[in-house]
Structure formats: C-alpha cells, structure tokens
Amino acid sequence: MSFDRNLKIAPSILAADFANFGAEIEAVEAEGADWIHVDVMDGHFVPNLTFGPATCAAIRPHIKTVMDVHLMIAPVDPYIQAFADAGADVITAHFEAGPHIHRTLQAIRGAGCKAGLALNPGTSVEVVQPLLDMVDLVCLMTVNPGFGGQKFIASQVTQVARLRQMIGDRPIHIEIDGGVDPVTAPLVRAAGADVLVAGSAVFKGGSVADPAPYGANMRAIRAAC
Ligand code: DX5
Ligand code: ZN
C-alpha cells in the first residue's frame, strides 16, 4: 500500500447486498472503487450487528484494491489478530472503544496492518496529537456510527481542517465516514480529506445485474470534488 493524498472512494459494503458480497465487491471495483470499506459492528459499542472475521476472510479473495476494516467493537484487542489473519490491509479502531488506544494501535501494526484511529463526532481531534507517530489513518466520523444512510454532521468539517493542519507532512490518511455524497464530499475534500467512505451514495440505484449506477454515483462524487 503506497501513500498519496489523491482522492480515494471507499464504498462501504454495509449498503451492498449481504447475500452477494463477493459479486458486489467485484462490481464496485470494476466501476472504479479505490478501496473497499468493511464495517464490523458488535451490538455493544454500536447499536447494530454486522459480521466478523470469518466474513472478512471469505470476501478477501474478491478484493483487488485495499481491504479497509472499520471495527466498531469493544473490546478491540482480542480480535485484532483474527482480522489481520482475514487479510485486512487497514484496521481502524475507535478512540472511544477502550482505555488503551495506544496499545491497540501498536497491536494493529504489530499484526502487520496499517493502523487506523476512528473518532466519533463527539470526540475532539486534539486527542490525535499524542498518537501521530502511531497512526497511518485517522477516520473522522461524520455520523454517529452504527447505521448507513444517516445525515452528514456538518460541524465536523472544521475538525477535518484542524486535523489536516496537525498532520502536516506525515504520511497519514484522513478518512471521512458517514453521509458522504456529491453535496458533502467537496466540503471534506477541501478541508483535507483523501479517503471518502460512502455507502448509500455509491450503491443506490444499482445492483450486481446492473452495476453502471455504481460507476455513475462514484463519478458524481469525484466530479463534485
Ligand atoms: C456507519 C459506517 C459507515 C456507513 C456509511 O457506522 O461506519 O461506513 O456505512 O454509510 P453512508 O455512506 O450511507 O452514510
Ligand atoms: Zn465505516
């Protein structure tokens, strides 16, 4: 995985057909996805359940780009090795998921993955400062995590700009997750984000049988930026 700040669209398979992940991933990559975003929820840290490492391992052979695993689970540490073994390129854990985020980030890198740090909308980006040497990606949530299709929280845009300033020349991705569409994407892109997660805005209107809307939806986001 090489580093750059070019715009990358990471469709979230939370908005794909759960009975058909492999084909959905292949379709959305063929239509131009840069990364594949995989939302793991535990019904405890967030009020929703999705899937775990076995599903991640099953979909891994269908991903040609980057497998970006967003863990909305607590505790995190006992499961890091399982997600690394499942083939994650990036493992992102939440700052709010436990008392020892520094140890968690160390463990993610120790397992051979890029380390991501996710912040809920109620958490200040100032908490990233002591962790700058520990992270390869910071994910700013622009919705409260747990569900797709929620409304973008616009007050997060100033936090994106503050984070971009804090990061300086360091090779750290800024990822935005939640409510990204052609209207909101340019706001966070201008503030310094490079990875845009989008679920509903990418998968709407299309299917494995008719994947062209996936491409059109991603082009609309890129064009707006
Ligand atoms: C929310 C997830 C997101 C979600 C985004 O908890 O982390 O990745 O799927 O969905 P949209 O793009 O529909 O807001
Ligand atoms: Zn996510």
Side-chain angles (χ1 to χ4, degrees):
M1 248 184 92
S2 61
F3 181 85
D4 63 57
R5 292 191 198 286
N6 299 335
L7 178 63
K8 290 168 279 294
I9 298 184
S12 165
I13 59 167
L14 189 61
D17 175 1
F18 269 48
N20 218 358
F21 277 150
E24 288 276 44
I25 288 164
E26 286 170 13
V28 84
E29 284 194 344
E31 291 292 331
D34 298 289
W35 291 13
I36 298 296
H37 186 81
V38 180
D39 285 309
V40 176
M41 304 185 185
D42 68 351
H44 166 73
F45 179 68
V46 291
N48 194 6
L49 283 161
T50 54
F51 45 74
T55 302
C56 291
I59 65 177
R60 172 72 262 194
H62 299 274
I63 300 176
K64 292 200 197 78
T65 59
V66 169
M67 186 180 199
D68 176 34
V69 176
H70 179 192
L71 297 182
M72 288 162 273
I73 67 174
V76 181
D77 296 9
Y79 302 101
I80 290 171
Q81 191 60 51
F83 286 102
D85 290 345
D89 295 296
V90 182
I91 297 180
T92 297
H94 269 261
F95 177 80
E96 305 83 3
H100 300 295
I101 188 65
H102 189 282
R103 174 186 292 149
T104 300
L105 294 167
Q106 265 179 336
I108 294 171
R109 281 189 173 170
C113 300
K114 298 287 185 195
L117 171 64
L119 305 186
N120 283 337
T123 301
S124 168
V125 291
E126 299 308 321
V127 305
V128 178
Q129 184 71 54
L131 300 166
L132 281 171
D133 294 335
M134 306 293 304
V135 294
D136 303 297
L137 174 150
V138 178
C139 173
L140 289 190
M141 295 303 302
T142 39
V143 298
N144 285 296
F147 302 95
Q150 302 183 83
K151 189 177 166 354
F152 179 84
I153 299 172
S155 58
Q156 283 292 79
V157 176
T158 54
Q159 290 232 85
V160 181
R162 172 73 195 104
L163 178 64
R164 181 67 196 88
Q165 198 176 33
M166 195 190 297
I167 284 173
D169 293 335
R170 296 175 182 85
I172 299 174
H173 296 289
I174 299 181
E175 177 176 78
I176 302 300
D177 191 0
V180 171
D181 64 20
V183 174
T184 58
L187 307 175
V188 289
R189 178 60 174 160
D194 62 298
V195 184
L196 305 186
V197 175
S200 345
V202 168
F203 285 96
K204 71 165 190 218
S207 67
V208 166
D210 174 26
Y214 299 165
N217 292 339
M218 288 187 279
R219 283 192 296 279
I221 293 172
R222 283 188 220 279
C225 292

